[in-house]
Amino acid sequence: MLILGIETSCDETGIALFDDTHGIVSHAVYSQVEIHAEYGGVVPELASRDHVRKTLPLIKQTIVEAGVKLTDVDGIAYTAGPGLVGALLVGSSIARSLAFALDVPALGIHHMEGHLLSPMLDDNPPTMPFLALLVSGGHTMLVNVEGLGCYEILGESLDDAAGEAFDKVAKMLGLGYPGGPAVEKLAKLGTPGRFRFPRPMTNRPGLDFSFSGLKTYTLNTLNEHQNDPSVAADVAHAFVEAVVDTFLIKCTRAIKQTGLSALVVSGGVSANQQLRLGLSDLGKKLGVTVHYPRFEFCTDNGAMIAYAGYRRLSASAGEPLAYKVRPRWPLNLLQPPPT
Ligand code: KG4
Ligand code: ZN
């Protein structure tokens, strides 16, 4: 079974082909970062227009690189939400039209289900049930994954997502967009212990998160030390340390609460090395295996959508021709594929 995956929910056009015997046989991601950089964030209309330009050429490229023909494709999976409505409509319209022309099933995939399943593309994949920490630019969630489509949200961010906080702190530090990798790099140059930032919502019970206050604390610290050239790296260090520590505290709680023995960490922020080091240590301490996607599949990509499409299309027959995208789509509304 060969599944074409199409991801266009935000500012990356991601295309991939998943084969049930060989795994991902080819994939390509085109990032629109340069287009949006001068605006300091994603401009939805520019994103949609660029997906129009890039999606079909990237599909052709992945087909050629895999050494297959378009007519070999058995099904098409596309991101149906959550995301930017125009961007989602580009990918879904192309996916639906191609599927109609090829007379194969198509299926809209939840972007966060794609992230959640992405570590399964690696050697040593986790088996369900597991605990998932989903950390991206739009979402921060702890999820009890009982099975495919059975997702209980244990906690989530009440305001900014972790990736969004990284992006906003990067802006304060004059590091540009997207901020995560730049803040990570600068943080490594900082002096440990110079500042200690709050670990939000850790001194009360529960598994929810909040990063907006930490962001303000970061800004205030920067303003108080305006004339100190070394402050940027020390602030970045303290910010990353606070975010990582917050995740360690909440993951410990969630593991103890659920008794689960595997932790999956995925989404753009899961590329962060400090976070990976901290969680891997925690896993050893608590006797829990910790799984991440391979580096290139942490941020948005078509491979995770192709794989989620494979998991669902191999269990059911796709969806009717009428389709809709869902800019907002709670993950816990998903259902297992019909049997
Ligand atoms: O999963 P993703 O590509 O898109 C969404 O679904 O939102 O995540 C993008 C987010 C951005 O906010 C970006 O700054 C963050 O992931 N990110 C990182 C790192 N790499 C990407 N945050 C911290 N450290 C990183 N190395
Ligand atoms: Zn994403």
Side-chain angles (χ1 to χ4, degrees):
M1 192 176 203
L2 185 67
I3 303 295
L4 173 66
I6 301 177
E7 153 63 35
T8 62
S9 67
C10 191
D11 59 343
E12 261 108 22
T13 316
I15 308 291
L17 282 163
F18 178 88
D19 175 294
D20 56 353
T21 43
H22 300 102
I24 295 294
V25 285
S26 69
H27 79 99
V29 175
Y30 175 80
S31 168
Q32 303 177 352
V33 157
E34 280 173 24
I35 294 174
H36 304 293
E38 66 175 292
Y39 303 98
V42 178
V43 184
E45 182 60 23
L46 295 182
S48 316
R49 288 173 189 226
D50 206 54
H51 286 307
V52 171
R53 281 189 288 269
K54 296 297 179 335
T55 306
L56 280 175
L58 276 188
I59 292 175
K60 281 187 192 149
Q61 181 186 320
T62 21
I63 293 278
V64 169
E65 280 173 13
V68 297
K69 298 188 296 294
L70 192 56
T71 47
D72 293 332
V73 168
D74 298 303
I76 302 183
Y78 60 92
T79 305
L84 303 171
V85 65
L88 291 167
L89 279 168
V90 175
S92 55
S93 310
I94 291 175
R96 265 273 145 226
S97 317
L98 265 180
F100 182 73
L102 295 170
D103 195 20
V104 297
L107 196 58
I109 297 295
H110 193 295
H111 181 80
M112 297 313 289
E113 180 174 70
H115 276 306
L116 193 151
L117 298 176
S118 61
M120 295 195 160
L121 288 166
D122 243 35
D123 302 336
N124 240 340
T127 48
M128 293 173 184
F130 55 69
L131 177 70
L133 173 67
L134 302 182
V135 276
S136 71
H139 295 84
T140 301
M141 281 188 244
L142 270 165
V143 187
N144 180 357
V145 178
E146 290 160 24
L148 183 68
C150 299
Y151 308 129
E152 182 197 358
I153 298 176
L154 303 171
E156 60 191 326
S157 180
L158 305 179
D159 41 58
D160 293 1
E164 192 180 352
F166 266 94
D167 294 336
K168 288 178 178 166
V169 165
K171 220 175 194 175
M172 294 171 200
L173 294 167
L175 296 175
Y177 173 85
V183 172
E184 170 171 5
K185 207 168 146 200
L186 185 63
K188 287 185 182 152
L189 307 174
T191 314
R194 177 170 172 200
F195 298 114
R196 185 183 157 84
F197 285 9
R199 278 61 172 152
M201 294 185 73
T202 54
N203 56 2
R204 59 178 115 156
L207 295 170
D208 285 334
F209 302 93
S210 163
F211 291 106
S212 156
L214 179 60
K215 192 184 63 188
T216 310
Y217 193 96
T218 307
L219 183 63
N220 290 342
T221 310
L222 276 173
N223 287 339
E224 280 163 22
H225 297 80
Q226 269 173 3
N227 301 321
D228 175 356
S230 71
V231 78
D234 296 343
V235 161
H237 187 95
F239 168 77
V240 175
E241 198 179 61
V243 172
V244 170
D245 236 24
T246 303
F247 284 137
L248 295 183
I249 293 166
K250 295 286 163 114
C251 284
T252 306
R253 259 184 218 174
I255 289 164
K256 290 189 174 158
Q257 183 179 314
T258 57
L260 290 165
S261 57
L263 170 67
V264 155
V265 189
S266 55
V269 184
S270 71
N272 188 281
Q273 251 179 29
Q274 283 102 316
L275 179 63
R276 286 186 175 216
L277 284 174
L279 287 170
S280 296
D281 278 352
L282 183 76
K284 279 184 208 137
K285 212 168 83 189
L286 299 179
V288 165
T289 56
V290 187
H291 306 261
Y292 312 93
R294 75 177 83 144
F295 193 74
E296 61 196 325
F297 296 155
C298 287
T299 46
D300 291 350
N301 63 85
M304 65 185 196
I305 302 302
Y307 178 70
Y310 160 70
R311 291 290 302 260
R312 285 183 170 276
L313 282 169
S314 56
S316 71
E319 61 193 3
L321 273 181
Y323 65 99
K324 63 174 180 188
V325 296
R326 300 174 193 215
R328 289 178 185 277
W329 190 3
L331 183 67
N332 56 341
L333 294 187
L334 291 192
Q335 297 284 325
T339 43

